[in-house]
Protein backbone atom coordinates (compact mmCIF):
# COMPACT_ATOMS: atom_id res chain seq x y z
CA UNK A 1 0.00 0.00 0.00
CA UNK A 2 1.13 3.58 -0.65
CA UNK A 3 1.10 6.44 1.84
CA UNK A 4 -2.48 7.39 0.92
CA UNK A 5 -3.76 3.82 1.02
CA UNK A 6 -3.61 3.00 -2.68
CA UNK A 7 -2.96 -0.51 -3.85
CA UNK A 8 0.30 -1.20 -5.63
CA UNK A 9 -0.83 -4.63 -6.81
CA UNK A 10 0.45 -5.78 -10.19
CA UNK A 11 -1.19 -3.99 -13.09
CA UNK A 12 -1.90 -5.19 -16.60
CA UNK A 13 0.97 -4.17 -18.85
CA UNK A 14 0.01 -1.68 -21.56
CA UNK A 15 1.89 -0.30 -24.53
CA UNK A 16 2.32 3.19 -23.09
CA UNK A 17 1.82 4.89 -19.74
CA UNK A 18 1.66 8.70 -19.83
CA UNK A 19 2.00 10.63 -16.56
CA UNK A 20 1.31 14.33 -16.22
CA UNK A 21 -1.20 17.09 -15.60
CA UNK A 22 -4.17 17.64 -17.83
CA UNK A 23 -6.30 20.76 -17.50
CA UNK A 24 -9.69 21.92 -18.67
CA UNK A 25 -9.14 24.41 -21.46
CA UNK A 26 -11.45 27.27 -22.33
CA UNK A 27 -11.28 28.25 -25.99
CA UNK A 28 -12.66 31.63 -27.10
CA UNK A 29 -15.83 31.84 -29.13
CA UNK A 30 -14.25 34.54 -31.30
CA UNK A 31 -10.85 36.18 -31.89
CA UNK A 32 -9.73 39.03 -29.66
CA UNK A 33 -8.26 39.84 -26.28
CA UNK A 34 -9.32 37.71 -23.36
CA UNK A 35 -10.85 40.87 -21.89
CA UNK A 36 -13.13 41.18 -24.92
CA UNK A 37 -14.18 37.57 -25.51
CA UNK A 38 -17.76 37.09 -24.22
CA UNK A 39 -17.84 33.29 -24.02
CA UNK A 40 -15.66 30.20 -24.23
CA UNK A 41 -16.00 26.57 -25.29
CA UNK A 42 -14.66 23.85 -23.03
CA UNK A 43 -11.97 21.38 -24.11
CA UNK A 44 -9.04 19.58 -22.52
CA UNK A 45 -5.31 20.22 -22.68
CA UNK A 46 -2.26 18.43 -21.40
CA UNK A 47 0.88 17.31 -23.20
CA UNK A 48 0.97 13.80 -21.78
CA UNK A 49 -2.77 13.16 -21.99
CA UNK A 50 -2.75 14.44 -25.59
CA UNK A 51 -0.12 11.81 -26.43
CA UNK A 52 -2.17 9.17 -24.60
CA UNK A 53 -5.37 10.02 -26.49
CA UNK A 54 -3.69 9.98 -29.91
CA UNK A 55 -1.96 6.66 -29.20
CA UNK A 56 -5.21 5.10 -28.02
CA UNK A 57 -6.98 6.36 -31.15
CA UNK A 58 -4.17 4.73 -33.15
CA UNK A 59 -4.99 1.35 -31.60
CA UNK A 60 -2.47 1.09 -28.76
CA UNK A 61 -3.23 0.20 -25.15
CA UNK A 62 -2.54 3.30 -23.07
CA UNK A 63 -2.86 4.38 -19.44
CA UNK A 64 -2.93 7.97 -18.19
CA UNK A 65 -1.79 8.55 -14.60
CA UNK A 66 -2.43 11.83 -12.81
CA UNK A 67 -4.34 13.54 -10.02
CA UNK A 68 -7.42 15.72 -10.48
CA UNK A 69 -9.68 17.55 -8.09
CA UNK A 70 -12.85 16.03 -6.68
CA UNK A 71 -14.82 18.47 -8.82
CA UNK A 72 -16.75 18.71 -12.07
CA UNK A 73 -13.69 19.69 -14.05
CA UNK A 74 -11.93 16.56 -12.83
CA UNK A 75 -14.96 14.52 -13.87
CA UNK A 76 -14.80 16.09 -17.34
CA UNK A 77 -11.10 15.28 -17.78
CA UNK A 78 -11.42 11.67 -16.68
CA UNK A 79 -14.54 11.06 -18.77
CA UNK A 80 -13.16 12.76 -21.89
CA UNK A 81 -9.74 11.11 -21.81
CA UNK A 82 -11.33 7.77 -20.98
CA UNK A 83 -13.63 8.28 -23.95
CA UNK A 84 -10.62 7.99 -26.26
CA UNK A 85 -10.05 4.47 -24.96
CA UNK A 86 -7.36 5.45 -22.44
CA UNK A 87 -7.22 3.53 -19.14
CA UNK A 88 -7.88 6.14 -16.43
CA UNK A 89 -8.20 3.75 -13.49
CA UNK A 90 -4.96 5.04 -11.92
CA UNK A 91 -6.09 8.70 -11.89
CA UNK A 92 -6.54 9.78 -8.27
CA UNK A 93 -8.93 12.39 -6.83
CA UNK A 94 -7.69 15.06 -4.46
CA UNK A 95 -10.47 16.43 -2.23
CA UNK A 96 -8.31 19.35 -1.02
CA UNK A 97 -7.03 20.73 -4.35
CA UNK A 98 -8.78 21.79 -7.56
CA UNK A 99 -8.36 20.62 -11.12
CA UNK A 100 -6.24 23.05 -13.12
CA UNK A 101 -7.86 25.18 -15.82
CA UNK A 102 -6.66 27.71 -18.37
CA UNK A 103 -8.01 30.18 -20.91
CA UNK A 104 -6.38 31.14 -24.18
CA UNK A 105 -7.04 33.43 -27.10
CA UNK A 106 -7.89 32.17 -30.58
CA UNK A 107 -4.74 33.53 -32.25
CA UNK A 108 -1.59 31.68 -33.20
CA UNK A 109 0.46 30.95 -30.09
CA UNK A 110 3.58 32.21 -31.85
CA UNK A 111 2.34 35.81 -32.03
CA UNK A 112 2.70 38.52 -29.39
CA UNK A 113 -1.09 38.94 -29.36
CA UNK A 114 -1.62 35.44 -28.00
CA UNK A 115 -2.70 35.29 -24.36
CA UNK A 116 -2.87 32.35 -21.98
CA UNK A 117 -4.22 32.62 -18.45
CA UNK A 118 -3.31 29.60 -16.30
CA UNK A 119 -5.09 28.73 -13.05
CA UNK A 120 -2.98 25.74 -12.05
CA UNK A 121 -1.05 26.88 -8.97
CA UNK A 122 -1.91 24.51 -6.12
CA UNK A 123 -3.72 22.13 -8.48
CA UNK A 124 -4.31 18.49 -7.64
CA UNK A 125 -1.71 17.42 -10.21
CA UNK A 126 0.93 19.68 -8.71
CA UNK A 127 0.72 17.56 -5.54
CA UNK A 128 1.73 14.34 -7.33
CA UNK A 129 4.50 12.56 -5.46
CA UNK A 130 6.04 9.11 -5.27
CA UNK A 131 3.93 8.44 -2.16
CA UNK A 132 0.52 9.23 -3.66
CA UNK A 133 0.81 7.83 -7.18
CA UNK A 134 0.28 4.16 -8.02
CA UNK A 135 3.85 3.37 -9.06
CA UNK A 136 2.95 -0.16 -10.11
CA UNK A 137 0.46 1.28 -12.60
CA UNK A 138 3.02 3.82 -13.82
CA UNK A 139 5.71 1.22 -14.43
CA UNK A 140 3.42 -1.34 -16.08
CA UNK A 141 4.03 -0.18 -19.63
CA UNK A 142 6.40 -0.97 -22.45
CA UNK A 143 6.98 2.79 -22.63
CA UNK A 144 6.63 5.45 -19.93
CA UNK A 145 6.08 8.87 -21.47
CA UNK A 146 6.96 11.96 -19.41
CA UNK A 147 7.56 15.62 -20.14
CA UNK A 148 9.53 18.52 -18.73
CA UNK A 149 6.29 20.17 -17.63
CA UNK A 150 5.65 17.84 -14.67
CA UNK A 151 8.93 18.42 -12.76
CA UNK A 152 8.37 22.17 -12.98
CA UNK A 153 5.03 22.00 -11.15
CA UNK A 154 6.42 21.42 -7.65
CA UNK A 155 9.25 19.87 -5.67
CA UNK A 156 7.10 16.79 -5.10
CA UNK A 157 6.53 16.42 -8.83
CA UNK A 158 10.26 16.81 -9.47
CA UNK A 159 10.96 14.09 -6.91
CA UNK A 160 8.43 11.81 -8.61
CA UNK A 161 9.98 12.25 -12.06
CA UNK A 162 13.45 11.66 -10.63
CA UNK A 163 12.19 8.45 -9.07
CA UNK A 164 10.68 7.31 -12.37
CA UNK A 165 13.75 8.12 -14.46
CA UNK A 166 16.24 6.55 -12.05
CA UNK A 167 18.26 3.72 -13.55
CA UNK A 168 16.87 0.42 -12.30
CA UNK A 169 16.41 -3.13 -13.55
CA UNK A 170 13.38 -3.79 -15.73
CA UNK A 171 12.30 -0.17 -16.01
CA UNK A 172 10.18 0.61 -19.08
CA UNK A 173 11.62 2.55 -21.99
CA UNK A 174 11.57 6.16 -20.77
CA UNK A 175 10.30 8.68 -23.32
CA UNK A 176 10.88 12.33 -22.34
CA UNK A 177 9.60 15.36 -24.23
CA UNK A 178 11.46 18.46 -22.99
CA UNK A 179 8.38 20.65 -23.55
CA UNK A 180 9.95 23.74 -22.02
CA UNK A 181 7.33 26.07 -20.53
CA UNK A 182 8.93 29.40 -19.51
CA UNK A 183 5.67 30.56 -17.91
CA UNK A 184 5.99 27.93 -15.20
CA UNK A 185 9.17 29.68 -14.01
CA UNK A 186 9.87 27.13 -11.29
CA UNK A 187 13.36 28.40 -10.53
CA UNK A 188 16.69 29.38 -12.01
CA UNK A 189 17.77 25.73 -11.96
CA UNK A 190 15.07 24.75 -14.47
CA UNK A 191 17.47 24.31 -17.43
CA UNK A 192 19.77 22.14 -15.33
CA UNK A 193 16.85 20.01 -14.12
CA UNK A 194 15.59 19.47 -17.67
CA UNK A 195 19.09 18.52 -18.82
CA UNK A 196 19.48 16.04 -15.95
CA UNK A 197 16.14 14.36 -16.58
CA UNK A 198 16.53 14.19 -20.36
CA UNK A 199 19.95 12.61 -20.01
CA UNK A 200 18.37 9.86 -17.90
CA UNK A 201 15.79 8.97 -20.56
CA UNK A 202 16.02 6.43 -23.38
CA UNK A 203 14.14 8.49 -25.97
CA UNK A 204 14.17 12.30 -25.94
CA UNK A 205 12.14 14.78 -27.99
CA UNK A 206 13.38 18.37 -28.10
CA UNK A 207 12.70 21.29 -30.41
CA UNK A 208 15.70 22.89 -32.06
CA UNK A 209 14.32 26.28 -31.01
CA UNK A 210 13.81 25.32 -27.37
CA UNK A 211 17.29 23.78 -27.16
CA UNK A 212 18.68 27.14 -28.24
CA UNK A 213 16.45 29.02 -25.80
CA UNK A 214 17.02 26.80 -22.77
CA UNK A 215 20.66 25.76 -23.15
CA UNK A 216 22.08 27.93 -25.94
CA UNK A 217 22.59 24.87 -28.15
CA UNK A 218 22.56 25.68 -31.87
CA UNK A 219 21.83 22.88 -34.32
CA UNK A 220 21.16 19.14 -33.95
CA UNK A 221 24.83 18.18 -33.58
CA UNK A 222 25.24 20.52 -30.62
CA UNK A 223 22.10 19.06 -29.04
CA UNK A 224 23.43 15.53 -29.46
CA UNK A 225 26.76 16.53 -27.91
CA UNK A 226 24.86 17.75 -24.83
CA UNK A 227 22.69 14.60 -24.75
CA UNK A 228 25.07 11.70 -25.47
CA UNK A 229 23.30 9.19 -23.21
CA UNK A 230 19.78 8.65 -24.66
CA UNK A 231 19.78 5.86 -27.22
CA UNK A 232 17.40 7.90 -29.36
CA UNK A 233 17.34 11.69 -29.60
CA UNK A 234 14.79 13.44 -31.83
CA UNK A 235 15.48 17.09 -32.67
CA UNK A 236 12.34 18.69 -34.10
CA UNK A 237 13.10 21.44 -36.61
CA UNK A 238 9.66 22.90 -37.24
CA UNK A 239 8.41 22.98 -40.80
CA UNK A 240 11.79 21.88 -42.11
CA UNK A 241 11.59 18.41 -40.60
CA UNK A 242 13.33 16.49 -37.84
CA UNK A 243 16.66 14.81 -37.18
CA UNK A 244 16.98 11.62 -35.16
CA UNK A 245 20.16 10.31 -33.58
CA UNK A 246 19.72 6.60 -32.97
CA UNK A 247 22.68 4.73 -31.60
CA UNK A 248 25.43 5.66 -34.07
CA UNK A 249 23.21 6.73 -36.97
CA UNK A 250 21.84 10.15 -37.94
CA UNK A 251 18.67 10.45 -40.02
CA UNK A 252 16.95 13.60 -41.26
CA UNK A 253 13.44 13.50 -42.73
CA UNK A 254 11.82 16.67 -44.12
CA UNK A 255 8.30 17.50 -43.04
CA UNK A 256 5.59 17.34 -45.70
CA UNK A 257 3.98 20.57 -46.88
CA UNK A 258 0.98 21.24 -44.61
CA UNK A 259 -1.85 23.75 -45.05
CA UNK A 260 -1.99 24.73 -41.39
CA UNK A 261 -5.34 25.46 -39.75
CA UNK A 262 -4.04 25.88 -36.19
CA UNK A 263 -0.49 25.49 -34.90
CA UNK A 264 -1.46 23.75 -31.66
CA UNK A 265 -0.98 20.18 -30.53
CA UNK A 266 1.52 19.31 -33.26
CA UNK A 267 4.41 18.52 -30.91
CA UNK A 268 2.36 16.07 -28.85
CA UNK A 269 0.97 14.47 -32.01
CA UNK A 270 4.50 14.10 -33.44
CA UNK A 271 5.62 12.31 -30.27
CA UNK A 272 2.59 10.01 -30.45
CA UNK A 273 3.25 9.14 -34.09
CA UNK A 274 6.92 8.45 -33.45
CA UNK A 275 6.13 6.33 -30.39
CA UNK A 276 3.49 4.36 -32.28
CA UNK A 277 5.98 3.52 -35.03
CA UNK A 278 8.62 2.67 -32.43
CA UNK A 279 6.27 0.23 -30.70
CA UNK A 280 5.66 -1.38 -34.09
CA UNK A 281 9.39 -1.79 -34.67
CA UNK A 282 9.44 0.32 -37.85
CA UNK A 283 12.71 1.67 -39.28
CA UNK A 284 13.93 5.03 -37.97
CA UNK A 285 13.04 6.87 -41.18
CA UNK A 286 9.47 5.62 -40.98
CA UNK A 287 9.23 6.55 -37.30
CA UNK A 288 10.02 10.14 -38.29
CA UNK A 289 7.57 10.05 -41.17
CA UNK A 290 4.79 8.74 -38.92
CA UNK A 291 5.63 11.54 -36.48
CA UNK A 292 5.29 14.10 -39.26
CA UNK A 293 2.02 12.59 -40.51
CA UNK A 294 0.42 12.51 -37.06
CA UNK A 295 1.55 16.11 -36.48
CA UNK A 296 -0.02 17.05 -39.83
CA UNK A 297 -3.32 15.60 -38.63
CA UNK A 298 -3.21 17.99 -35.64
CA UNK A 299 -2.12 20.97 -37.75
CA UNK A 300 -5.06 20.62 -40.12
CA UNK A 301 -7.82 20.85 -37.49
CA UNK A 302 -8.75 23.77 -35.19
CA UNK A 303 -8.24 22.10 -31.79
CA UNK A 304 -5.35 20.55 -29.88
CA UNK A 305 -6.43 16.94 -30.48
CA UNK A 306 -7.02 15.26 -33.82
CA UNK A 307 -7.65 11.68 -34.83
CA UNK A 308 -4.49 10.21 -36.34
CA UNK A 309 -4.58 8.92 -39.90
CA UNK A 310 -5.76 5.34 -40.34
CA UNK A 311 -2.75 3.06 -39.98
CA UNK A 312 -2.89 1.61 -43.51
CA UNK A 313 -3.18 5.10 -44.96
CA UNK A 314 -0.22 6.39 -42.93
CA UNK A 315 1.84 3.30 -43.79
CA UNK A 316 1.32 3.88 -47.50
CA UNK A 317 2.39 7.51 -47.22
CA UNK A 318 5.38 6.64 -45.04
CA UNK A 319 6.51 4.15 -47.68
CA UNK A 320 6.63 6.74 -50.50
CA UNK A 321 9.96 7.23 -52.22
CA UNK A 322 11.86 10.39 -51.36
CA UNK A 323 10.63 12.29 -54.43
CA UNK A 324 6.98 11.50 -53.80
CA UNK A 325 7.37 12.30 -50.10
CA UNK A 326 8.87 15.67 -51.04
CA UNK A 327 5.83 16.45 -53.23
CA UNK A 328 3.33 15.51 -50.53
CA UNK A 329 0.98 18.29 -49.46
CA UNK A 330 -1.60 17.75 -46.71
CA UNK A 331 -4.60 19.97 -46.06
CA UNK A 332 -7.82 19.88 -44.01
CA UNK A 333 -9.64 16.58 -44.38
CA UNK A 334 -6.65 14.61 -45.64
CA UNK A 335 -7.01 11.96 -42.95
CA UNK A 336 -10.54 11.20 -44.17
CA UNK A 337 -9.33 9.94 -47.56
CA UNK A 338 -10.38 6.32 -48.00
CA UNK A 339 -8.13 5.80 -51.00
CA UNK A 340 -4.96 7.79 -51.61
CA UNK A 341 -4.42 7.86 -55.36
CA UNK A 342 -1.14 8.88 -56.94
CA UNK A 343 -2.62 12.14 -58.16
CA UNK A 344 -3.42 13.10 -54.58
CA UNK A 345 0.30 13.36 -53.84
CA UNK A 346 0.22 16.93 -55.02
CA UNK A 347 2.93 19.44 -55.66
CA UNK A 348 2.58 22.64 -53.63
Amino acid sequence: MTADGQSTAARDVVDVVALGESMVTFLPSRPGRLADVPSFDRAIGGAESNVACVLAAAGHTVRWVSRVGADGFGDHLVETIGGYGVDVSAVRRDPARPTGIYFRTAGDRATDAHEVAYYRAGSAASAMAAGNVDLAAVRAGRVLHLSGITPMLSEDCLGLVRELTAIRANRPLISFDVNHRPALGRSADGPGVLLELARGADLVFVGEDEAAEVWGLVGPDAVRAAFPDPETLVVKQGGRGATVFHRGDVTFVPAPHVDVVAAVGAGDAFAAGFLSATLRGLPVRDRLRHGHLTAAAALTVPGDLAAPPVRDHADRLAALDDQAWGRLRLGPGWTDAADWADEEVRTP
Side-chain angles (χ1 to χ4, degrees):
M1 303 288 285
T2 63
D4 61 354
Q6 300 162 22
S7 170
T8 55
R11 288 274 190 163
D12 291 337
V13 175
V14 295
D15 290 334
V16 179
V17 175
L19 178 143
E21 180 173 36
S22 190
M23 294 179 289
V24 174
T25 310
F26 290 92
L27 309 175
S29 56
R30 70 183 191 194
R33 301 184 312 151
L34 286 178
D36 300 328
V37 175
S39 60
F40 296 80
D41 295 319
R42 186 180 62 178
I44 66 171
E48 300 85 0
S49 59
N50 285 348
V51 171
C53 290
V54 175
L55 282 167
H60 295 282
T61 54
V62 189
R63 176 178 299 127
W64 174 55
V65 179
S66 189
R67 289 177 75 84
V68 299
D71 50 34
F73 290 144
D75 293 341
H76 177 63
L77 285 174
V78 172
E79 292 167 7
T80 302
I81 294 169
Y84 280 86
V86 176
D87 174 8
V88 294
S89 63
V91 177
R92 302 306 182 198
R93 299 302 185 105
D94 190 327
R97 298 176 180 84
T99 303
I101 64 173
Y102 74 96
F103 297 77
R104 68 173 173 85
T105 51
D108 187 339
R109 291 181 181 180
T111 69
D112 292 338
H114 181 67
E115 298 173 73
V116 182
Y118 287 104
Y119 298 91
R120 73 193 310 176
S123 69
S126 71
M128 284 191 294
N132 62 23
V133 168
D134 187 341
L135 295 180
V138 176
R139 291 178 170 136
R142 295 170 59 192
V143 176
L144 171 57
H145 182 69
L146 306 167
S147 89
I149 298 172
T150 304
M152 298 296 121
L153 297 178
S154 68
E155 289 295 329
D156 282 342
C157 284
L158 171 57
L160 171 62
V161 176
R162 280 180 167 149
E163 166 69 20
L164 295 174
T165 56
I167 301 298
R168 66 178 70 243
N170 301 318
R171 79 172 190 177
L173 184 147
I174 303 295
S175 167
F176 186 82
D177 191 336
V178 171
N179 242 322
H180 176 54
R181 292 291 188 271
L184 288 175
R186 178 181 165 275
S187 66
D189 68 345
V193 167
L194 291 174
L195 187 65
E196 166 207 335
L197 296 172
R199 284 174 169 168
D202 303 297
L203 165 59
V204 173
F205 299 95
V206 62
E208 186 177 42
D209 54 348
E210 68 182 344
E213 179 183 353
V214 179
W215 302 292
L217 303 171
V218 179
D221 289 339
V223 179
R224 183 52 163 174
F227 294 90
D229 300 312
E231 180 178 66
T232 306
L233 170 67
V234 181
V235 182
K236 298 175 291 181
Q237 297 167 270
R240 286 179 292 144
T243 298
V244 62
F245 297 85
H246 180 66
R247 298 173 181 167
D249 297 325
V250 183
T251 305
F252 171 78
V253 171
H257 301 280
V258 178
D259 299 326
V260 176
V261 173
V264 294
D268 301 330
F270 181 95
F274 190 95
L275 284 170
S276 175
T278 299
L279 286 162
R280 295 170 60 201
L282 299 184
V284 169
R285 185 206 69 168
D286 291 359
R287 298 179 196 183
L288 283 172
R289 286 189 172 187
H290 276 277
H292 287 317
L293 291 168
T294 311
L299 290 168
T300 50
V301 298
D304 290 36
L305 272 172
V310 174
R311 182 173 291 183
D312 287 348
H313 186 183
D315 282 346
R316 280 156 48 204
L317 294 181
L320 291 172
D321 62 42
D322 289 346
Q323 279 194 327
W325 177 263
R327 294 195 303 270
L328 191 61
R329 182 161 196 157
L330 305 171
W334 74 271
T335 59
D336 298 329
D339 294 302
W340 192 269
D342 290 342
E343 61 268 21
E344 290 174 307
V345 181
R346 302 182 298 277
T347 54

